[in-house]
Amino acid sequence: MRRIAVFTGSTNGNSPTFATLAYTVGEELARRGIGLVYGGGRSGLMGALSQGALDAGGEVIGVIPQAMVEREWARTDLTDLRVCATMHERKAIMSEHADAFLALPGGLGTLEEIFEVWTWRQLGFHRKPVGFLNAEGFWQPLLDTLNGIVSAGFLSAATLEDVVVDGNLPDVLKGLSQKLGA
């Protein structure tokens, strides 16, 4: 895996462990020689994620809409900062530059982004693997809801099983790499 797109929060959330997690993920990706593609923000978990990758000497590509740059939300010390017009364009650029996708803790934006690329995979628009880093069980309520959606017949069990979910980064990265090679 050459690059991974990581979706995560633009705030820190209520637990300081989330910022530590994001920083560690960025750092570990860089140590493994995996480039980071992310939303280009300078604050919250996005800021911690990118800082970890930069501190470890990694490649960091940020993709951010012009409106967010104008609000001074962009991080400008990246390997590459791509400024685009819309959120739709942002996701397309991120997808173009990534081999896989990973969700860390986050809110509506994180959910919207990971669900869109997961839907694209389900529809066959790409074959890039999708994963959730379920650190401290953060994603468990969502996973329980998704299992309920499977039970209700609106999502196939195979689609849910296709997503890589684990509580630790090495196992998530291993699962994504295995699906990438499949």
Side-chain angles (χ1 to χ4, degrees):
M1 182 171 7
R2 202 168 59 99
R3 290 188 187 130
I4 187 168
V6 178
F7 305 119
T8 193
S10 61
T11 64
N12 284 324
N14 293 331
S15 173
T17 61
F18 294 142
T20 301
L21 171 71
Y23 182 91
T24 302
V25 168
E27 190 176 47
E28 184 62 24
L29 291 175
R31 271 200 215 120
R32 291 173 180 246
I34 301 170
L36 169 64
V37 181
Y38 87 113
R42 61 181 173 86
S43 63
L45 300 186
M46 283 200 283
L49 172 72
S50 58
Q51 191 64 54
L54 290 169
D55 286 351
E59 174 192 43
V60 181
I61 299 172
V63 185
I64 192 165
Q66 179 64 39
M68 292 179 172
V69 172
E70 290 167 5
R71 292 180 179 137
E72 299 182 356
W73 293 349
R75 181 170 193 145
T76 58
D77 62 341
L78 305 174
T79 308
D80 187 3
L81 180 64
R82 308 267 172 117
V83 179
C84 58
T86 67
M87 293 294 281
H88 294 294
E89 188 178 347
R90 177 196 217 182
K91 286 178 289 195
I93 293 168
M94 290 176 74
S95 178
E96 178 183 317
H97 288 88
D99 301 312
F101 305 96
L102 180 63
L104 301 185
L108 287 178
T110 302
L111 287 170
E112 186 272 333
E113 290 166 329
I114 198 70
F115 273 99
E116 184 155 359
V117 297
W118 186 10
T119 301
W120 293 347
R121 179 173 167 86
Q122 178 195 25
L123 295 173
F125 295 165
H126 68 72
R127 293 304 312 147
K128 300 173 184 183
V130 175
F132 289 83
L133 183 55
N134 194 24
E136 297 185 21
F138 179 83
W139 293 114
Q140 198 56 53
L142 174 65
L143 296 167
D144 293 343
T145 298
L146 291 169
N147 277 306
I149 294 170
V150 168
S151 294
F154 292 102
L155 178 67
S156 73
T159 297
L160 184 55
E161 291 165 5
D162 184 49
V163 174
V164 177
V165 179
D166 204 286
N168 72 62
L169 183 62
D171 288 340
V172 167
L173 293 177
K174 181 180 177 183
L176 291 172
S177 291
Q178 288 172 340
K179 287 193 177 287
L180 191 60

